[in-house]
C-alpha cells in the first residue's frame, strides 16, 4: 500500500474520537506551527510541498495564500460543500476524521493570520456536522482554539456553518454569498479570487476540506517530504472516490502518479474489476464535469498533468465506471439533467442551454429522438462553451455552464451508433 | 409557535452572535426554524429578518433558493432517493419506483398519515453504497426493495429514533465554546503581531 496521509486514521473504528486522534499524533502539527514557527514559515512549507487544492481546480494552496491582499481583516473559509456527483471523499473525512480537519483549518488560519474561520459543510452531512461541531467543542476545551492557542500569542475562532442544499454553493464565490445569508449566486469575475475581495468584501481564502486535512502531516514531516511523494506538480497523495459499475467501489488514498486507472479499477486492493462477463465501456476520471475516458486511457497514471495532457481532468478525484451493460445516452442525459437542475439561472447559456440539452437527451433516450438532434445538441454545447474544447471556453459567470457539454459531447462522439439505434428503433437498446 | 420563543430564542440569539455580520446567521436560523416547526414558516422568516437585520422578503429570497429549506409542511421523515450517476448505474431508478410502491405515493408527495415525504435527490456523497437514500439527511445504502421496506417499517415503529430525529433537526450537538472573540480584539492582536515582526526584522 502506498503512503497514507489524510486517510491515515481511517482504518481505526474509532477514528473520529479525540482519544484516537491524540493517540495518533493529533495536535502535533498545530503545536509545532503556533509554538515553533512563524506564520510565513508555515506558508513556506506548504509552498515547498506544492500542495494542489483538492476541491477541483487544483490550484497550489501556497500560491493562493501568497495572493491574499494585505488588509487588517482576512477570513478563511473551508469548503466542505461536496456535491459534485460521485464525489464522496470530503464526506468521509468530515465524518471519520473531524479532528484532523479542525487542526488543519487552524494551521491554515495561523499561516494566513486569519481573523475568523468558517467551516462550511454541505447541509445534508448531518452526521458530519455533528462530528465536526463535537471536534470544535473539544478543541476549545483543550485550548486548541480560541484565545492564545496552546499558550501562544495566536487566537482565532472557528464557526461551523451548515449549507442548505444547493450544488452551486460549492463554487467559492457562491459559497461566500451563501455565507452572507443570500441566494447562492456566483459572483462576476474579476476579481478572480476571493483572496482579493471575499467574505464581507475582505480578502478571503477558500480551501477544500481535503486540502487543509493535509496540513498537519506537512507541518509534522516538512514540505520536502510531501513533495517527495508523487511526481512533478502532483505531490503527496489523493483520496480517490471510485464508484459505478466496479466490484468494490470505495475511497482509496494513493500516492499521486504512482498507479494507473487500470490499477484503480481492476487492482486487487482497489476496485477489483467489473462484474463477471462485463467489459469496460467508459469511465470518467475526475467528476461529472470532466470529459470521459475510454479503455485506451486505462494506462494513464493518476496525476494532474498526466490526465490533463490526455484531454480531461483529475478534478474532484472521483472516478466513475460504466460497463457495457449501461446506456451511454442515459448516463450522459443524467449528468446533463443534474447540471440543468442545479444551474442558478443567472446566465442564459447555462440556464437555457442546460434545460434544452436535458430535454433533447431525454427524448432520445426515451426513443422519441430524431437524427437532427445530434447536431442540435452539439450546437447547444458549442453555444455554452465555444469550440467544445478542454479546458473549456466560457460564456458564463462560473464553470457550471461549461461543465454541461463534456459528457454529452463524449457520448455523441464515442457512442454515435447507440444514439442512432435509439432514434431508429425508437427505444433504448440497453433497457 | 413559529416565532422563536424561550430556549429557541436564546439559541437563535446565540447563532446571530457568532458572526462578524449577523446576516450570516440567516441559513442557520432557517434550519433552527425547521427544527422548531418542521418547515420554515412565514412568521419565522419575519422573525429571522428582525434578528439579522434584513427584511422578510430577503429571508424568503434566500430560503427559497435552497432544497433543504421547506416553505411548506413535509412529513416527519423526508426520504430522498438518489438517482444521480453512480446510483443510477446500480439501479437507483428501480429503487425509486420501489419506494413509490412501498410508500404508495408518487415522488414529491407525502403519505396520508403525514409520516413520509418521498423525494428524488441528487448525489448525496454516499456513492460507494449505491443505490443510496437519505432519511432526514441520515444515510442508508445500498438499498433494494426489501431493505427499503425494512427501513420504512423501522422508521414507522420508532426503531430508528436515535439515529433519525424528526425532519428539521439537523445538528443535535450544540456549540460549546466561549463567546467568539470580538473582531476589534482580533484586529488589535494582529496589529501588535505586525509591530513585533517589524521590530524583530
Ligand atoms: C460548480 C462548482 C462547484 C464546486 N464545488 C466544490 C465543492 O463542493 N467543494 C470544493 O472544495 N470546491 C468546489 N468547487 C471549487 C471551488 O470553487 C474552489 O476552487 C475550491 O473550494 C478551492 O479550494 P482548494 O484550492 O483547496 O481546492 C466548485 C467549483 C464549481 C465551479
Ligand atoms: S454558469 Fe450557470 S450556475 Fe454558473 S453563474 Fe451562470 S447560470 Fe449560474
Ligand atoms: S450518485 Fe448517489 S450518492 Fe452519489
Amino acid at each position: 500500500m502506498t503512503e497514507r496521509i489524510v486517510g491515515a486514521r481511517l482504518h481505526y473504528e474509532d477514528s473520529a474520537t479525540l482519544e484516537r486522534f491524540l493517540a495518533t499524533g493529533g495536535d502535533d502539527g498545530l503545536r509545532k506551527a503556533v509554538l515553533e514557527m512563524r506564520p510565513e514559515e508555515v506558508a513556506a512549507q506548504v509552498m515547498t510541498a506544492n500542495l494542489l487544492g483538492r476541491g477541483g481546480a487544483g490550484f497550489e494552496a501556497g500560491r493562493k495564500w501568497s495572493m491574499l491582499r494585505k488588509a487588517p481583516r482576512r477570513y478563511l473559509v473551508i469548503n466542505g460543500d461536496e456535491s459534485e456527483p460521485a464525489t464522496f471523499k470530503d464526506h468521509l473525512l468530515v465524518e471519520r476524521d473531524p479532528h484532523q480537519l479542525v487542526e488543519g483549518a487552524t494551521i491554515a488560519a495561523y499561516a494566513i493570520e486569519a481573523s475568523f474561520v468558517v467551516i462550511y459543510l454541505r447541509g445534508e452531512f448531518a452526521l458530519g456536522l455533528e462530528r465536526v461541531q463535537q471536534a470544535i467543542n473539544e478543541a476549545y476545551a483543550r485550548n486548541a482554539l480560541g484565545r492564545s492557542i496552546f499558550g501562544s500569542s495566536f487566537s482565532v475562532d472557528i464557526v461551523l456553518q451548515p449549507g442548505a442544499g444547493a450544488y452551486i454553493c460549492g463554487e467559492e464565490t457562491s459559497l461566500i454569498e451563501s455565507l452572507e445569508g443570500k441566494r447562492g449566486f456566483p459572483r462576476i469575475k474579476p476579481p478572480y479570487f476571493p483572496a482579493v475581495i471575499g467574505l464581507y468584501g475582505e480578502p478571503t481564502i477558500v480551501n477544500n476540506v481535503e486540502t487543509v486535512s493535509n496540513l498537519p502531516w506537512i507541518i509534522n514531516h516538512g514540505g520536502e517530504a510531501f513533495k517527495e511523494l508523487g511526481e512533478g506538480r502532483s505531490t503527496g497523495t489523493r483520496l480517490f472516490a471510485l464508484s459505478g459499475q466496479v466490484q468494490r467501489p470505495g475511497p482509496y488514498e494513493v500516492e499521486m502518479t504512482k498507479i494507473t486507472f487500470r490499477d484503480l479499477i481492476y487492482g486487487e486492493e482497489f476496485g477489483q474489476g467489473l462484474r463477471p462477463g462485463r467489459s469496460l465501456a467508459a469511465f470518467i476520471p475526475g467528476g461529472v464535469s470532466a470529459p470521459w475516458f475510454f479503455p485506451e486511457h486505462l494506462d494513464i497514471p493518476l496525476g494532474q498533468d498526466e490526465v490533463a495532457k490526455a484531454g480531461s481532468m483529475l478534478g474532484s478525484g472521483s472516478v466513475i465506471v460504466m460497463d457495457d451493460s449501461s446506456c451511454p445516452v442515459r448516463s450522459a442525459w443524467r449528468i446533463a439533467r443534474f447540471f440543468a437542475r442545479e444551474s442558478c439561472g443567472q446566465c442564459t447559456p447555462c440556464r437555457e442551454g442546460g434545460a434544452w440539452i436535458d430535454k433533447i437527451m431525454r427524448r432520445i433516450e426515451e426513443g422519441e429522438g430524431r437524427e437532427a438532434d445530434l447536431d442540435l445538441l452539439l450546437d447547444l454545447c458549442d453555444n455554452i462553451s465555444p469550440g467544445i474544447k478542454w479546458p473549456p471556453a466560457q460564456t458564463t459567470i462560473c464553470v457550471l455552464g461549461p461543465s454541461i457539454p463534456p459528457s454529452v459531447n463524449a457520448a455523441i462522439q464515442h457512442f454515435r451508433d447507440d444514439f442512432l439505434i435509439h432514434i431508429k428503433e425508437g427505444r433504448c437498446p440497453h433497457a | 409557535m413559529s416565532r422563536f420563543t424561550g430556549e429557541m430564542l436564546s439559541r437563535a440569539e446565540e447563532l446571530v452572535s457568532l458572526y462578524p455580520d449577523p446576516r450570516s446567521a440567516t441559513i442557520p436560523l432557517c434550519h433552527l426554524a425547521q427544527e422548531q416547526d418542521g418547515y420554515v414558516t412565514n412568521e419565522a422568516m419575519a422573525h429571522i429578518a428582525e434578528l439579522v437585520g434584513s427584511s422578510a422578503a430577503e429571508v424568503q429570497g434566500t430560503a427559497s433558493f435552497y432544497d433543504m429549506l421547506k416553505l411548506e409542511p413535509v412529513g416527519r421523515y423526508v426520504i430522498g432517493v438518489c438517482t444521480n450517476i453512480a446510483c443510477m448505474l446500480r439501479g437507483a431508478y428501480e429503487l425509486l419506483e420501489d419506494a413509490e410502491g412501498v410508500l404508495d405515493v408518487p415522488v414529491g408527495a407525502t403519505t396520508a398519515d403525514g409520516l413520509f415525504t418521498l423525494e428524488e435527490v441528487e448525489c448525496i456523497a454516499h456513492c460507494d453504497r449505491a443505490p443510496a437514500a437519505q432519511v432526514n439527511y441520515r444515510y442508508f445504502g445500498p438499498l433494494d426493495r426489501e431493505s427499503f421496506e425494512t427501513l420504512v417499517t423501522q422508521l414507522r415503529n420508532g426503531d430508528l429514533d436515535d439515529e433519525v430525529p424528526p425532519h428539521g433537526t439537523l445538528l443535535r450537538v450544540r456549540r460549546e465554546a466561549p463567546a467568539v472573540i470580538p473582531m476589534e480584539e482580533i484586529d488589535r492582536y494582529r496589529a501588535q503581531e505586525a509591530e513585533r515582526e517589524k521590530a524583530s526584522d
Side-chain angles (χ1 to χ4, degrees), chain A residues 168 186 342-347 350-351 396-402:
Chain A
I168 191 58
E342 297 295 328
S343 166
C344 82
Q346 288 188 101
C347 319
C350 173
R351 183 188 64 240
T396 50
I397 296 172
C398 86
V399 295
L400 188 148

Side-chain angles (χ1 to χ4, degrees), chain A residues 99-136:
Chain A
H99 294 281
Q100 173 175 262
L101 167 63
V102 173
E103 184 186 6
T106 314
I107 292 172
Y110 179 68
I112 65 165
E113 299 178 88
S115 314
F116 184 69
V117 182
V118 177
I119 297 180
Y120 184 110
L121 289 192
R122 179 173 179 180
E124 289 92 338
F125 289 168
L127 180 62
L129 283 159
E130 290 181 342
R131 294 252 166 100
V132 173
Q133 186 60 63
Q134 183 74 28
I136 290 174

Side-chain angles (χ1 to χ4, degrees), chain A residues 166-178 182-189 191 342-347 350 394 396-401, chain B residues 65-66:
Chain A
Y167 165 68
I168 191 58
C169 288
E171 195 275 346
E172 56 192 6
T173 62
S174 165
L175 188 149
I176 287 171
E177 289 284 303
S178 172
K182 303 181 207 149
R183 296 169 80 84
F185 284 157
R187 290 179 179 170
I188 292 175
K189 289 101 187 151
E342 297 295 328
S343 166
C344 82
Q346 288 188 101
C347 319
C350 173
Q394 201 166 330
T396 50
I397 296 172
C398 86
V399 295
L400 188 148
Chain B
F65 186 80
Y66 297 93

Side-chain angles (χ1 to χ4, degrees), chain A residues 51-61 64 77-84 87 89-90 167-175 186 189 193 205-212 289 316 339 398-401 403:
Chain A
L51 173 63
L52 302 183
R54 287 351 187 198
F59 198 85
E60 300 92 322
K64 190 191 277 188
V77 177
I78 306 303
N79 188 346
D81 193 54
E82 188 174 69
S83 325
E84 172 90 2
T87 308
K89 67 194 179 65
D90 296 341
Y167 165 68
I168 191 58
C169 288
E171 195 275 346
E172 56 192 6
T173 62
S174 165
L175 188 149
K189 289 101 187 151
F193 288 98
I205 292 294
V206 181
N207 271 140
N208 169 261
V209 161
E210 186 187 350
T211 309
V212 296
S289 312
S316 61
F339 287 120
C398 86
V399 295
L400 188 148
S403 300

Side-chain angles (χ1 to χ4, degrees), chain A residues 38-40 72-73 75 82-88 91 95 109-110 113-116 118 120 122-127 129-131 133-134 136-138 140-141 146-148 153-166 168-169 174 177-185 199-200 242-251 275 284 288 320-323 326-327 330-335 337-338 341-342 344, chain B residues 15 17-31 34 52 54 57-70 81-94 96 107 120-130 134-139 162-163 165 169-194 196-198 200-201:
Chain A
R38 304 206 318 193
E40 58 275 22
R73 280 192 197 170
Y75 297 108
E82 188 174 69
S83 325
E84 172 90 2
T87 308
F88 51 93
H91 186 198
E95 278 188 5
Y110 179 68
E113 299 178 88
S115 314
F116 184 69
V118 177
Y120 184 110
R122 179 173 179 180
E124 289 92 338
F125 289 168
L127 180 62
L129 283 159
E130 290 181 342
R131 294 252 166 100
Q133 186 60 63
Q134 183 74 28
I136 290 174
N137 292 351
E138 287 169 348
Y140 277 102
R147 282 196 176 77
S148 302
S153 60
F154 182 65
S155 305
V156 83
D157 280 305
I158 296 185
V159 165
L160 175 67
Q161 176 94 347
I168 191 58
C169 288
S174 165
E177 289 284 303
S178 172
L179 201 44
E180 292 179 352
K182 303 181 207 149
R183 296 169 80 84
F185 284 157
L199 184 61
Y200 314 134
L242 179 65
S243 69
Q245 293 166 314
V246 281
Q247 296 279 26
R248 212 167 62 119
R275 283 175 301 168
I284 315 182
V288 296
I320 306 156
V321 177
M322 297 175 255
D323 73 24
S326 71
C327 172
R330 190 163 147 101
S331 294
W333 160 68
R334 188 59 186 85
I335 291 169
R337 179 176 186 223
F338 165 76
R341 277 185 175 173
E342 297 295 328
C344 82
Chain B
L15 283 171
S17 75
L18 294 178
Y19 300 91
D21 183 327
R23 266 175 291 193
S24 290
T26 304
I27 290 173
L29 288 174
C30 289
H31 281 301
Q34 291 207 134
V52 305
S54 61
E58 279 176 279
V59 174
Q60 185 166 16
T62 296
S64 60
F65 186 80
Y66 297 93
D67 293 342
M68 289 176 74
L69 302 177
K70 310 294 184 195
V81 175
C82 170
T83 58
N84 210 307
I85 184 80
C87 288
M88 185 191 90
L89 289 167
R90 298 180 82 100
Y93 278 101
E94 294 73 7
L96 187 64
V107 172
E120 178 191 357
V121 297
E122 297 296 347
C123 175
I124 56 177
H126 205 47
C127 332
D128 52 342
R129 300 280 154 72
Q134 59 187 10
V135 183
N136 297 347
Y137 312 109
R138 271 73 185 174
Y139 293 173
D162 285 345
E163 288 97 316
T169 301
L170 192 56
L171 260 138
R172 292 163 299 176
V173 178
R174 303 271 305 277
R175 182 179 168 94
E176 283 166 34
V180 294
I181 309 165
M183 274 298 116
E184 296 68 32
E185 190 183 327
I186 294 278
D187 292 348
R188 264 199 317 279
Y189 277 139
R190 299 289 182 270
Q192 281 165 9
E193 287 289 299
R196 217 172 304 150
E197 215 148 275
K198 229 187 271 162
S200 73
D201 282 345

Side-chain angles (χ1 to χ4, degrees), chain A residues 13-37:
Chain A
E13 268 302 304
D14 62 351
S15 61
T17 65
L18 181 61
E19 293 68 35
R20 178 61 63 194
F21 175 70
L22 293 178
T24 48
D27 279 350
D28 289 356
L30 178 60
R31 264 180 214 284
K32 184 168 170 189
V34 297
L35 297 176
E36 296 168 26
M37 298 167 79

Side-chain angles (χ1 to χ4, degrees), chain B residues 81-162:
Chain B
V81 175
C82 170
T83 58
N84 210 307
I85 184 80
C87 288
M88 185 191 90
L89 289 167
R90 298 180 82 100
Y93 278 101
E94 294 73 7
L95 176 64
L96 187 64
E97 253 176 53
D98 287 337
E100 289 180 318
V102 170
L103 294 171
D104 199 22
V105 288
V107 172
T110 301
T111 54
D113 58 6
L115 220 42
F116 301 102
T117 300
L118 180 63
E119 293 183 335
E120 178 191 357
V121 297
E122 297 296 347
C123 175
I124 56 177
H126 205 47
C127 332
D128 52 342
R129 300 280 154 72
Q134 59 187 10
V135 183
N136 297 347
Y137 312 109
R138 271 73 185 174
Y139 293 173
F140 299 89
L143 290 168
D144 55 16
R145 188 182 177 106
E146 203 176 313
S147 50
F148 185 84
E149 222 160 358
T150 309
L151 174 62
V152 167
T153 307
Q154 286 176 319
L155 288 164
R156 207 173 253 138
N157 296 342
D159 299 341
L160 294 175
D161 283 358
D162 285 345

